[in-house]
Every structure is written in structure tokens, then in C-alpha cells.
Amino acid sequence: MKTHLLAATLALATVSAHAAGNDIATPAEQIFRSGFRSDNPKYWMTRVEQDEAMRLCSQYKDNPPAKVRQKIELTQKASIRYPVDGKLIGDWKEGEKLAAVGTGGHIGFIQPDPPGRLRGGNCYACHQLAAKEVAYGTIGPSLRHFSKLRGTGDDVVQYAYDKIYNSNAFNACTNMPRFGLHNWLTPEQITHIVAFLVDPESPVNKD
Amino acid sequence: MRTRLHALVATVALGIGGTAVAQGSTMDEIAKYREMLADGNPAELLEMKGEALWKKPRGPRSASLEQCDMGLGPGKLEGAYAQLPRYFADTKKVMDAESRLVHCMMTLQGFSETEATKNWFSKPGQDSDIEALITYIGGQSNGAKINVPARHPEEARMAKVGEYIFYRRSGPQDFSCAICHGQEGKRIRLQDLGKLTSQAGAGAAMSTWPSYRVSQGAVWTMQRRLIDCMRQARWPEPSYLADSIIALEVFLQKTASGTVMQTPGIKR
């Protein structure tokens, strides 16, 4: 009897978990993961693991309810780390280069990036920045005249740094990558890109 | 003929580098050079080669592929690509055009899976029989409506799996398919990205594959396309013919259903 009750409770729990999420998740995860070549090295395969934010964003198709959204934004905000010297504005010329680089980080056997290839922020893939670069994408808003429009106050600088470090701190499940969290860009590199956005001499604001 | 085609392709490539940037949309350029190439998409040569390969006795059994059942019965190719992927009772699996073709190469011609898939895509100096055969098979659906209702329980399940993968975020750029293909009218750099979750967007995309890719100088199959998108997502490399890729194809073809096939296409 006791065992029956337990089993029934367990069954109920499973059913409600399925109803809440989707019962396709388990087989779909299995199919996704086993779909990769078995000779991918283990350290490549870590790229299919999900942190909590990724899992929640996937589950809600990038549109989580307010409570979940809040929770994601809080934990992501807490992940942000700053350069040791505390300076958030670097060299805009370095930042200009990093914003344009879209290579780096491609793996696989067909067309991987050579090891050590510079990984950039690839900001132009999704944003307009300096006016002279016309090959920009539109997944994100235009960032042209970033500080011309918002000023160069500490709050603007801090926001730019934090947004690049962890975009989800402000907008859970945004299409923008979390560059700092993934160590895709170092804190120093982020300060250069911040300078590219806020320095009045940067082509983002000048032209 | 050959030289003419080459010259055309060169002009087209130049056009992309120059005027496309000024105009801002690659789609206009593609429309222009599709017109230029109207009487000669290089993929049509491959289509002819694929037809010859289909009919030629090959493999350890020295058999042709003419009795291959792509879902409409042995040897029935007209409209077959447009109704794939689908469930096949003989293998108890949902298969796409490429996995079914490989199945036929193994069962009819006696090739091993390794032999059949060795050159599943071409490289400079190395042709791919699969590319040629799929270009031919795809062409046999030209004018047919994509029709993947995914009513069989296994097909319905694969459509759901595909949808799940479409929204699944992971990797060092937090990518999912939806990041690049979830919105209307967006582009990455200058490449237009359709909204693959609407019938119009998925239809425009799926109806034109297999496609000659000008930037690659080769025809790409849908497997090749999706495996490269996973590379762009910075993920590890999927296996050719993996169920994950087939599931995405079911999801996309189901969404695209009703759109008239126009293949082989020609793309950036």
C-alpha cells in the first residue's frame, strides 16, 4: 500500500513536470547530444552543456515569464567581474578592431578556425556602430552615436561594460551573447570596446 | 559554354563585393544574378551528372538506383523530395532525402555506409556523388508543393524534437537557431536572414534547396547547410545524417509546407 502511494505520487510528480515543461525535452536532448560526431574531443562537447539561464531561455523560447526573467537578470548581474585596476575605459582603437572581428571560436572538422585565431566581439554582425562600416547587421539596435546621445557619465560607462560582459543582466534571454561570462572577451578587451562606444573621439560618435 | 558560365560567375562575385554593399541588400543582387544566370545555374550541370549516376549500374552489386523508394514507391522520383523527410516502414525511421539515398546505395548497390558517405560533400578537386544525386532528386520535385504534414506519430515526434533544438541555446555565444532565424527582416552583416518559423520564411528557404552557393562554388545539400549553421553557432560538428539534423528538417519542412519547390536554387 505504502509503496503504491509512493509510486502514485512519483507518477503524479512526473506528469505535472511534463505538463509544466514539455515531455519532448528528454528525448530531444538525447537526440541532440547523440547527433554529434563521436570523435569531437570532450572539451568541444562541453559547448552543448547549458547553464541555468540557457536552459530557462530555451524552455520559454526566449520569452520567460516576469518572475523567471527577474531571477535570470539577478543571477547574471552577479556574475560580472571587473578589471583589477578598476578602469572601465580602455583604448578605442583597440576596441574598433575587436568590434569588427567576427572570426574565432569555430570548431569541427570541416572548417575550424586555426588555433590562436583572434576572437573578436563581432559587434557589426548585429549592430551599426561607426558610420563608415556599412556591412552591419540588424539583429540588435544601432549603436551609432552611442555617447553622443547618452553622454559619457559613469553610469553610461558602467552600463556599456556590464552589458557587454553579461547582456542578460539587463534583458534576460536577449539575442546578444554574454561575452565576459564565457571568457570570450577578457575584461581588458571589454574596456577597449567600451572606449569605442563612449570616447568622443571614436568614429562611433565622431562621424 | 563552360567559359561563359565562369565569366558570369566572376561578374556576379564582383557584383556582390561592390554594388551590394552600396545597396545594402544582398537579396536584390541575388535576384539580379539569378536573372543573369537564368539559362545556366551551374547546378544544372550537376543535376545532369546526378541523373546519369542514378541510372548507372554501380557498386558491388552493379545495380542502378532506379528501384530506390524515396517515399512514393520504387523508382518514383517526381515530387519525392518535396514530401521528405518522412517515416519509412522498412527501416522504422524518419529519413530525409540524403539518408534515404544512402540507404538505397547500401541496400540496392551494396555499398557500405562508409563507402556511400565518404565524399558526402565536395571540395575543390573532389566531387561528391551524393551532391550530384541529391541535386537530381531535388530537381525532380521542381514545381511540386512541399508536403510534410508530419501526421505519423514518429514524424510528429521528430517535428517536436526539431522545434526543441531550434530554440535550444548553448555554446560560448549563447546561440540557438532562433537567434539568427527567429525574426522577420533581420540580417547578420549583409546576409539576409529569414524567419524560419513562419510559413513564408521557411518556404522561401526550404523550397530552394539543394542550392548552388556562389561563395562556395558548389551545390550544398540541406544537411551541408544545417551542419554549417551549427558550425556558425560555434557548436561541435554533427554527424552526417544525424537524427538531430533530420528532426530540424522535419520541423522546417512542416512549417514550409504548401510552398512550391524551385530547385536547384542559387545563393550567395
Side-chain angles (χ1 to χ4, degrees):
Chain A
M1 175 63 195
K2 226 174 169 176
T3 9
H4 263 138
L5 252 179
L6 236 175
T9 324
L10 273 176
L12 262 178
T14 331
V15 166
S16 58
H18 280 174
N22 42 28
D23 47 347
I24 202 70
T26 310
E29 270 299 312
Q30 198 269 328
I31 287 174
F32 178 73
R33 287 165 183 265
S34 64
F36 293 98
R37 282 171 55 151
S38 56
D39 52 351
N40 283 295
K42 273 216 179 76
Y43 71 98
W44 284 359
M45 288 307 295
T46 58
R47 294 191 180 191
V48 307
E49 299 303 334
Q50 294 179 300
D51 67 7
E52 195 191 24
M54 288 165 167
R55 218 170 333 103
L56 290 168
C57 293
S58 307
Q59 183 184 335
Y60 293 105
K61 295 184 174 168
D62 297 326
N63 195 12
K67 258 197 168 154
V68 178
R69 171 176 290 279
Q70 235 171 29
K71 180 179 151 192
I72 294 173
E73 287 169 4
L74 277 174
T75 55
Q76 298 307 302
K77 182 101 193 163
S79 77
I80 300 175
R81 300 287 175 270
Y82 297 93
V84 269
D85 64 7
K87 266 185 55 190
L88 298 189
I89 308 185
D91 175 355
W92 69 258
K93 287 184 183 131
E94 285 303 311
E96 181 173 34
K97 283 185 224 154
L98 286 166
V101 173
T103 53
H106 296 96
I107 54 176
F109 305 93
I110 299 179
Q111 207 189 334
D113 282 317
R117 183 145 186 196
L118 180 65
R119 277 195 320 214
N122 203 15
C123 315
Y124 282 108
C126 301
H127 295 288
Q128 180 183 34
L129 292 129
K132 67 184 171 209
E133 177 55 272
V134 293
Y136 61 85
T138 56
I139 295 176
S142 171
L143 300 174
R144 193 169 164 227
H145 292 166
F146 188 78
S147 74
K148 209 171 174 175
L149 296 169
R150 308 174 194 224
T152 55
D154 288 350
D155 54 334
V156 174
V157 172
Q158 167 107 29
Y159 169 62
Y161 182 94
D162 289 358
K163 181 75 190 175
I164 300 168
Y165 193 100
N166 192 330
S167 57
N168 279 248
F170 303 91
N171 188 353
C173 307
T174 169
N175 284 353
M176 177 161 158
R178 297 170 293 173
F179 292 102
L181 181 87
H182 288 296
N183 294 314
W184 186 270
L185 297 170
T186 64
E188 284 66 31
Q189 287 176 315
I190 295 176
T191 66
H192 298 323
I193 300 176
V194 169
F196 182 51
L197 288 178
V198 301
D199 195 311
E201 290 307 308
S202 152
V204 168
N205 299 304
K206 194 130 182 141
D207 308 329
Chain B
M1 169 67 184
R2 240 210 149 114
T3 357
R4 209 190 94 224
L5 266 179
H6 268 140
L8 268 175
V9 171
T11 325
V12 162
L14 273 175
I16 278 255
T19 46
V21 171
Q23 294 209 339
S25 169
T26 39
M27 275 325 283
D28 302 347
E29 287 308 303
I30 298 216
K32 254 191 243 158
Y33 69 78
R34 197 180 272 136
E35 248 169 60
M36 282 165 56
L37 292 175
D39 59 344
N41 178 345
E44 281 159 19
L45 294 175
L46 202 66
E47 212 179 342
M48 279 152 58
K49 186 180 159 193
E51 180 173 11
L53 280 170
W54 181 262
K55 294 178 174 161
K56 187 174 161 194
R58 298 196 315 142
R61 299 218 186 110
S62 210
S64 82
L65 288 164
E66 287 161 303
Q67 285 307 302
C68 177
D69 179 359
M70 296 293 289
L72 299 178
K76 296 223 164 64
L77 274 195
E78 221 167 279
Y81 187 98
Q83 48 89 59
L84 289 169
R86 62 170 287 160
Y87 178 78
F88 285 88
D90 57 359
T91 56
K92 299 196 171 54
K93 271 182 65 99
V94 175
M95 303 171 94
D96 68 350
E98 289 168 74
S99 51
R100 191 63 187 175
L101 169 64
V102 167
H103 170 79
C104 286
M105 289 169 79
M106 291 165 65
T107 52
L108 296 176
Q109 300 183 310
F111 287 113
S112 70
E113 186 170 6
T114 317
E115 285 163 351
T117 58
K118 196 171 62 192
N119 296 327
W120 66 271
F121 65 94
S122 63
K123 298 172 191 158
Q126 184 189 89
D127 290 350
S128 160
D129 290 347
I130 287 188
E131 251 170 36
L133 284 160
I134 290 294
T135 307
Y136 168 61
I137 296 166
Q140 296 299 300
S141 279
N142 219 345
K145 278 186 181 157
I146 296 174
N147 182 24
V148 180
R151 280 198 207 99
H152 186 283
E154 281 305 308
E155 295 165 356
R157 181 169 160 275
M158 285 292 263
K160 275 197 181 160
V161 170
E163 180 175 18
Y164 176 92
I165 296 173
F166 194 85
Y167 288 97
R168 188 189 188 280
R169 303 187 68 162
S170 68
Q173 296 268 275
D174 296 311
F175 280 142
S176 68
C177 311
I179 301 303
C180 292
H181 299 296
Q183 289 164 280
E184 209 74 70
K186 298 287 176 183
R187 52 171 218 255
I188 190 159
R189 283 285 184 161
L190 288 181
Q191 283 126 255
D192 291 305
L193 300 162
K195 180 178 174 184
L196 294 179
T197 52
S198 73
Q199 195 218 9
M206 299 306 281
S207 61
T208 49
W209 291 86
S211 215
Y212 181 78
R213 293 205 58 205
V214 178
S215 62
Q216 311 292 318
V219 169
W220 275 23
T221 64
M222 189 39 67
Q223 286 267 340
R224 179 79 182 92
R225 175 67 265 173
L226 297 185
I227 288 173
D228 192 65
C229 275
M230 291 209 181
R231 185 187 69 90
Q232 290 189 56
R234 309 316 201 265
W235 295 341
E237 190 169 305
S239 314
Y240 180 53
L241 310 182
D243 277 344
S244 54
I245 303 288
I246 295 173
L248 282 165
E249 289 177 48
V250 177
F251 172 60
L252 294 171
Q253 285 282 81
K254 183 180 180 219
T255 312
S257 284
T259 314
V260 175
M261 294 279 297
Q262 286 184 284
T263 169
I266 183 158
K267 311 238 162 186
R268 185 187 66 86

